[in-house]
């Protein structure tokens, strides 16, 4: 049966495995085109407006639960997305993701030398409480900000920004 | 006459080998460029992306032009 198959579909393995210079050149040109398309696609993807993501609003806490200069951990938008609500010394509320952009350690609200920051104790990274940009340490990106809304005496999380505007 | 043809074939072979090596070199540069911009993009740094895309397209154009040249060269007698 297999002899019959070989006769019906003869394959010259030596010829089949032989790659000419022209074929190799063609292959390299095609691969080069693929890399060019990949780079262009990456550039196009980076241009997409993906800075702000809208999620279902979620209740965080009552205004009087936090005194100025304190913080509260909460989850938003999913149960495993840890966030930190901070009431700054000025009384203003801000919220950020709690995951450090370096290795996802939980960041803490701290005051160092009179400056309010989000501090990562794992590798001593810190982020600005004003806009989430990296102040020091190894984090490669700003920490994502959570958009808040005040509804009478309640604080609600209504969206998330992935980058500093 | 026979020697002249042989020399021409050797010459062609040398040119083709040089072009293949040059194309391989360009392709490796292109690949390195892609990896670097991908790493930077994942870190949120996208300033280099447009320049890298332009360079990558230029390299691809050069490679295509060389492929056409090789085809012409191999057709020549």
């Amino acid at each position: 049966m297999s002899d019959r198959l070989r006769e019906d579909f003869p394959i010259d393995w030596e010829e089949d495995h032989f790659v000419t210079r022209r074929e190799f050149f063609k292959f390299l040109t095609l691969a080069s085109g693929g890399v060019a398309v990949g780079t262009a696609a990456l550039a196009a993807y980076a241009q997409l407006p993906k800075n702000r993501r809208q999620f279902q609003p979620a209740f965080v806490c009552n205004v009087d639960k936090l005194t100025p200069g304190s913080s509260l951990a909460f989850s938003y938008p999913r149960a495993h997305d840890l966030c930190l609500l901070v009431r700054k010394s000025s009384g203003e509320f801000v919220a950020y993701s709690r995951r450090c952009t370096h290795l996802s350690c939980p960041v803490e609200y701290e005051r160092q030398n009179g400056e309010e920051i989000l501090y990562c104790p794992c590798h001593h990274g810190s982020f600005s409480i004003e806009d989430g940009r990296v102040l020091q340490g190894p984090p490669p990106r700003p920490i994502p900000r959570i958009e808040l809304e005040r509804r009478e005496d309640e604080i609600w999380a209504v969206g998330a920004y992935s980058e500093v505007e | 006459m026979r020697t002249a043809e042989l020399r021409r074939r050797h010459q062609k072979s040398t040119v083709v080998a040089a072009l293949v090596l040059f194309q391989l070199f360009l392709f490796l540069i292109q690949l390195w460029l892609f990896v670097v911009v991908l790493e930077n993009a994942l870190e949120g740094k996208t300033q280099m992306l447009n320049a890298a895309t332009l360079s990558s397209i230029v390299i691809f154009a050069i490679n295509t032009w060389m492929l056409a040249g090789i085809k012409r060269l191999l057709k020549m007698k």
Side-chain angles (χ1 to χ4, degrees):
Chain A
M1 182 66 184
S2 76
D3 287 342
R4 176 80 193 274
L5 200 69
R6 284 199 187 104
E7 279 173 25
D8 287 345
F9 301 99
I11 297 171
D12 185 347
W13 288 110
E14 280 191 17
E15 191 183 329
D16 199 54
H17 289 161
F18 182 73
V19 179
T20 63
R21 286 174 302 192
R22 198 192 301 193
E23 279 170 349
F24 181 66
F25 214 101
K26 262 187 202 168
F27 169 76
L28 271 187
T29 309
L30 273 176
S32 167
V35 175
V37 168
T39 314
L42 196 63
Y45 179 73
Q47 302 294 326
L48 291 177
K50 56 182 180 305
N51 191 19
R52 185 178 186 279
R53 290 179 293 167
Q54 192 79 46
F55 298 107
Q56 283 290 319
F59 171 73
V60 181
C61 71
N62 285 313
V63 171
D64 54 9
K65 190 171 180 182
L66 279 182
T67 55
S70 60
S71 65
L72 174 76
F74 68 103
S75 297
Y76 182 78
R78 294 164 297 187
H80 59 272
D81 292 325
L82 302 176
C83 302
L84 195 66
L85 175 70
V86 176
R87 188 166 190 183
K88 296 198 284 186
S89 305
S90 60
E92 186 193 347
F93 285 92
V94 287
Y96 293 92
S97 163
R98 212 180 168 191
R99 282 195 185 141
C100 177
T101 53
H102 178 221
L103 290 176
S104 299
C105 291
V107 297
E108 301 285 352
Y109 165 66
E110 277 193 12
R111 257 186 284 189
Q112 288 181 357
N113 304 324
E115 193 185 4
E116 294 173 284
I117 58 164
L118 293 171
Y119 177 71
C120 176
C122 290
H123 301 97
H124 309 293
S126 67
F127 302 89
S128 164
I129 200 80
E130 302 301 328
D131 54 11
R133 73 180 66 247
V134 180
L135 295 176
Q136 69 165 38
R141 290 185 304 279
I143 199 157
R145 187 160 65 86
I146 307 297
E147 189 181 4
L148 298 175
E149 205 174 274
R150 188 169 173 162
R151 298 179 180 175
E152 295 178 355
D153 285 344
E154 296 175 342
I155 300 293
W156 285 69
V158 294
Y161 290 93
S162 57
E163 290 167 17
V164 174
E165 288 164 273
Chain B
M1 184 67 183
R2 192 173 161 78
T3 316
E5 192 183 328
L6 205 63
R7 277 185 181 162
R8 218 170 19 245
R9 288 184 70 171
H10 276 158
Q11 188 71 83
K12 257 190 210 175
S13 180
T14 308
V15 171
V16 170
L19 285 177
V20 168
L21 278 177
F22 184 56
Q23 196 196 29
L24 198 62
F25 171 70
L26 286 181
F27 178 66
L28 288 177
I29 286 181
Q30 199 182 13
L31 212 55
W32 168 77
L33 202 60
F34 177 69
V35 171
V36 168
V37 292
L38 184 63
E39 277 182 349
N40 276 301
L42 289 175
E43 285 182 8
K45 299 170 195 162
T46 55
Q47 301 94 324
M48 270 178 66
L49 264 173
N50 289 337
T53 304
L54 190 66
S55 312
S56 199
I57 288 170
V58 167
I59 289 177
F60 174 56
I62 292 172
N63 284 342
T64 311
W65 175 67
M66 284 200 301
L67 179 66
I70 273 206
K71 276 183 178 174
R72 269 201 310 275
L73 186 75
L74 293 176
K75 271 183 194 166
M76 271 167 46
K77 290 201 172 174

